[in-house]
């Protein structure tokens, strides 16, 4: 990207104009069909590309102001923003919100519950793949997308009860040296049936299904994937190894699928060993490491040699010896935690009731975070050095057509 590239240029690597134009067409089609069915709406006029960009801009502004309701921009209250409010009237915004669609109608062959956002997720995925080449080490996990804890602490019980539970879980494969989200997988909770999300908590086979679909495009690249206990399993790691994907995962006798692992390594000895001590069992390239540090930690890996030594440095107790796999796992996970702490603050806080819309706004939030990561890696960063919040403000102003204004410092 050139040094003069704007926030909008980076965002449009993932959400280009043709995707926005499609939203315009689909929204207008839906509005027409809706009015044919439920009576005409005199206040409605077909939406344009400029209005669609402004509509997205208003929604994205809630990720910077952390305001629950996007309508407070026009309210004159604490979250109101006069310069943004002048671009479009509140009534017009609410009309677009009412009819907004990415896919207006179900085609005859769709059985998928996410058919209303799937084309958007697919185009986003193509953008991620073509714009970024990830590092060798990556992490599979569920990012922090739940409610802002401050909001939870301040709202009343009644408001909390009113909030519908999310009907999906969002999993990602994330580059562990930049935090760029390479791939998104949305698992729908189809009612309370056996395949529902409640069952997902203790269903290792569902977790390994998630892992397989997240690693679909990763074969043959010698990636090293770090996984949490719910995904770690011998069968999955062996299957991925055949595709030249190597793994290192934390193992838990409670949460993990321990099929095929020696029981002697899964039980704790009667007397705890000294800190930093470890035991190893190997089978081919796969090694099971049991390491002790104020508790037993078990790791399954075929990415690191179990005899290579590493250290974990603690501020108080100094260096604790451990196998290299343990040190690598700790380092990559702490990076992802830092990323989550920094970037999960910038998710769009508009909370729609429809599941497809919730997925859509989460996906847009991820696209903006990814756009900022690319911005930080490009020459454009050295020109203005925007923080994540300034980058977001800049993007909102550019989407609303106010880009000549300089960002507030």
């Amino acid at each position: 990207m050139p040094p003069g590239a704007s926030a909008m240029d980076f965002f449009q690597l993932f959400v280009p104009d043709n995707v926005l134009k499609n939203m315009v067409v689909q929204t207008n089609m839906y509005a027409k069909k809706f009015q044919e069915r439920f009576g005409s709406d005199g206040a409605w006029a077909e939406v344009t590309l400029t209005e669609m960009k402004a509509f997205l801009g208003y929604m994205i502004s809630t990720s910077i102001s952390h305001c629950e309701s996007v309508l407070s921009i026009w309210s004159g209250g604490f979250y109101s923003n006069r310069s943004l409010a002048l671009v479009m009237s509140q009534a017009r915004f609410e009309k677009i919100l009412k009819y907004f669609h990415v896919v207006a109608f179900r085609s005859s062959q769709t059985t998928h519950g996410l058919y209303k956002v799937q084309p958007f997720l697919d185009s986003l995925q193509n953008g991620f793949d073509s714009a970024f080449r990830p590092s060798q080490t990556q992490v599979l996990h569920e990012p922090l997308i739940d409610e802002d804890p401050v909001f939870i602490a301040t709202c009343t019980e009644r408001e909390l009860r009113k909030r519908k539970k999310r009907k999906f879980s969002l999993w990602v494969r994330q580059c562990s040296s930049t935090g760029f989200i390479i791939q998104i997988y949305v698992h729908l909770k189809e009612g309370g049936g056996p395949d529902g999300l409640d069952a997902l908590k203790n269903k290792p086979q569902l977790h390994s299904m998630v892992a397989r679909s997240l690693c679909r495009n990763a074969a043959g690249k010698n990636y090293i994937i770090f996984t949490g206990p719910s995904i770690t399993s011998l069968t999955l790691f062996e299957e991925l190894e055949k595709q030249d994907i190597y793994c290192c995962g934390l193992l838990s006798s409670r949460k993990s699928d321990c099929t095929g692992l020696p029981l002697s390594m899964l039980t704790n000895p009667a007397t705890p060993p000294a800190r930093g001590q470890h035991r190893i069992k190997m089978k081919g390239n796969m090694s099971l490491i049991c390491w002790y540090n104020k508790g037993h930690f078990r790791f399954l890996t075929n990415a690191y040699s179990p005899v290579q030594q590493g250290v974990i440095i603690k501020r108080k107790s100094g260096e604790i010896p451990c196998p290299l796999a343990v040190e690598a796992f700790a380092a990559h996970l702490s990076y992802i935690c830092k990323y989550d702490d920094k970037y999960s603050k910038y998710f769009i806080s508009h909370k729609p009731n429809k599941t497809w819309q919730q997925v859509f706004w989460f996906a847009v939030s991820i696209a903006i975070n990814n756009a900022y990561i690319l911005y930080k890696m490009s020459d454009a960063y050295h020109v203005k050095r925007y923080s994540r919040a300034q980058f977001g403000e800049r993007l909102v102003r550019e989407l609303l057509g106010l880009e000549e204004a300089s960002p507030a410092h």
Side-chain angles (χ1 to χ4, degrees), residues 24-25 28-29 32 44-48 51 92:
V24 169
V25 171
N28 287 332
M29 274 166 57
K32 186 170 172 233
W44 173 253
E46 293 219 322
V47 69
T48 63
E51 285 182 315
R92 179 62 178 156

Side-chain angles (χ1 to χ4, degrees), residues 343-356:
Y343 288 101
S344 61
K345 291 201 289 281
Y346 298 105
F347 276 101
I348 291 168
S349 28
H350 170 69
K351 295 285 182 285
N353 283 336
K354 296 265 193 323
T355 299
W356 75 265

Side-chain angles (χ1 to χ4, degrees), residues 84-138:
L84 300 188
L86 290 171
V87 175
M88 184 188 282
S89 72
Q90 181 178 341
R92 179 62 178 156
F93 174 83
E94 288 190 65
K95 276 282 175 259
I96 299 174
L97 181 59
K98 177 180 176 182
Y99 295 122
F100 174 68
H101 266 73
V102 180
V103 174
F105 308 114
R106 184 193 285 262
S107 68
S108 53
Q109 63 268 39
T110 50
T111 51
H112 191 34
L114 285 173
Y115 75 94
K116 286 193 168 185
V117 268
Q118 200 56 54
F120 178 74
L121 295 177
D122 294 342
S123 73
L124 215 51
Q125 193 59 60
N126 291 336
F128 293 170
D129 292 343
S130 54
F132 183 76
R133 185 178 296 147
S135 68
Q136 185 189 16
T137 51
Q138 296 160 27

Side-chain angles (χ1 to χ4, degrees), residues 31 55 78 133 138 142-143 154 176 189 222 242 255 311 321 324 361 369 387:
F55 172 76
F78 178 69
R133 185 178 296 147
Q138 296 160 27
E142 277 186 282
T154 54
S176 69
K189 176 186 184 179
N222 283 330
K242 288 177 187 143
K255 289 183 184 168
V311 286
L324 187 61
W361 296 117
N369 282 339
S387 67

Side-chain angles (χ1 to χ4, degrees), residues 287-301:
S287 51
L288 175 55
I289 301 166
C290 182
W291 176 69
Y292 186 80
N293 175 24
K294 291 188 178 170
H296 293 272
F297 294 91
R298 293 174 179 81
F299 295 87
L300 188 64
T301 182

